[in-house]
Amino acid sequence: GDAFFGGGLGDLFGAFFGGGGGGFNGGRSGPQSGPDLEAGVTIAFEAAVFGSAEQVTVRTAVHCETCEATGARAGSHAETCSNCSGSGQVRQVRQSILGQMVTAAPCPACSGAGQVIPDPCPDCNGDGRQILEKTYTVDIPAGVDTGSTLRLTGMGAAGLRGGPNGNLFVQVRVLDHDRFERHGNDLYHQLRIPMTQAALGADVTLETLDGAEELVISRGTQTGKTFRLRGRGVPHVRGRGRGDLLVEVLVDTPVDLSHEVEEALRRIAEERGEAVAPPEK
């Protein structure tokens, strides 16, 4: 809200990016890179398996177009800080029990930037960057899973007064699927079949993520039988090939029997010599 922007861009960068000065680089030459940013993206199960392109919006810092990231008003320019002679740091000598010690600290006059802006840009207040929301298209590689982190080089916040951008790290969250579970690079599915198909056999059509597959249910199939469909799982995100699809058979026991079906089952039980409970009254 307005209260967040009330202190100006210096306070904004201090709260949002950990310090508005940001120029002191410990003696390294060149402009300081902007900070790294983090964002999250939630994707569908199929998008994680086959890959996708997702939109990610972040609140970030971009180079100010008004002053072309210099921080100075049009017609003016930055000047070398006289307090630190452009080094961005000041050295202090102090006495200790070990003798004289020299310490370096960011220059208080220029906040470590090495330069001062006598006439700052009115749109960025001399920072050379502005805050706004920006949307990126992120390529999601096939095989990612919840917890995967994607690094987008150079898509982080802009550096102070023309400094390069940091990086953007995108945390991935994958939604669950209503029929498939993921175990590493393998997919798992429970196929429920009626007792009659398990006893007599049948040809069953299974809709996989790659399309329809025909499964041959043999006569006398038991609960727990597992089909392995090779190469129908999740691609290896850092290699070739895919995992498998494991299909475990569950034989359903019939319920809510009609009178005719119950009588037929009782005849079967009698023929097989299997003791069953008497009919319910």
Side-chain angles (χ1 to χ4, degrees), residues 224-237:
K225 176 178 175 58
T226 301
F227 294 89
R228 181 180 290 272
L229 304 182
R230 298 194 179 278
R232 292 292 185 268
V234 181
H236 299 274
V237 71

Side-chain angles (χ1 to χ4, degrees), residues 1-280:
D2 293 338
F4 189 68
F5 288 90
L9 279 178
D11 291 342
L12 173 60
F13 281 101
F16 192 66
F17 295 113
F24 178 66
N25 56 16
R28 296 188 301 273
S29 60
Q32 191 82 337
S33 296
D36 295 335
L37 299 180
E38 288 187 357
V41 62
T42 299
I43 63 176
F45 193 89
E46 290 87 344
V49 174
F50 297 112
S52 66
E54 304 289 338
Q55 300 293 310
V56 175
T57 300
V58 293
R59 191 162 175 79
T60 185
V62 300
H63 290 128
C64 177
E65 295 182 358
T66 304
C67 64
E68 298 180 345
T70 63
R73 188 188 296 268
S76 66
H77 56 82
E79 298 179 357
T80 301
C81 176
S82 59
N83 189 57
C84 64
S85 301
S87 67
Q89 56 181 310
V90 291
R91 298 181 181 274
Q92 297 177 336
V93 179
R94 62 184 182 88
Q95 291 292 134
S96 70
I97 59 174
L98 301 177
Q100 286 187 339
M101 296 189 66
V102 180
T103 59
C107 174
C110 64
S111 300
Q115 293 181 323
V116 293
I117 308 291
D119 191 8
C121 170
D123 290 340
C124 66
N125 198 30
D127 278 311
R129 52 188 180 177
Q130 295 176 309
I131 295 290
L132 53 75
E133 285 191 345
K134 194 167 184 179
T135 299
Y136 296 103
T137 298
V138 180
D139 291 326
I140 305 294
V144 299
D145 201 358
T146 294
S148 299
T149 300
L150 307 178
R151 174 176 175 171
L152 280 63
T153 303
M155 292 188 181
L160 179 72
R161 297 172 193 161
N165 289 54
N167 301 317
L168 174 62
F169 293 89
V170 179
Q171 303 282 345
V172 177
R173 174 177 173 264
V174 181
L175 296 174
D176 292 333
H177 197 274
D178 58 350
R179 292 185 297 119
F180 299 102
E181 294 181 5
R182 180 171 177 175
H183 299 169
N185 288 318
D186 291 336
L187 295 178
Y188 173 77
H189 174 67
Q190 286 186 328
L191 175 64
R192 310 187 76 92
I193 63 174
M195 178 187 67
T196 51
Q197 289 183 337
L200 302 176
D203 291 339
V204 176
T205 300
L206 174 68
E207 287 295 333
T208 73
L209 296 180
D210 295 273
E213 291 280 353
E214 295 295 326
L215 297 181
V216 178
I217 305 298
S218 303
R219 293 172 62 94
T221 292
Q222 304 294 314
T223 288
K225 176 178 175 58
T226 301
F227 294 89
R228 181 180 290 272
L229 304 182
R230 298 194 179 278
R232 292 292 185 268
V234 181
H236 299 274
V237 71
R238 292 187 178 88
R240 297 181 178 179
R242 294 174 60 178
D244 302 329
L245 171 58
L246 305 177
V247 182
E248 182 184 11
V249 174
L250 296 180
V251 179
D252 279 336
T253 301
V255 295
D256 298 328
L257 303 175
S258 67
H259 177 73
E260 291 77 9
V261 172
E262 182 172 338
E263 286 299 315
L265 288 177
R266 289 188 180 280
R267 288 195 299 270
I268 294 172
E270 182 179 357
E271 180 180 331
R272 293 172 57 86
E274 298 168 348
V276 295
E280 295 181 356

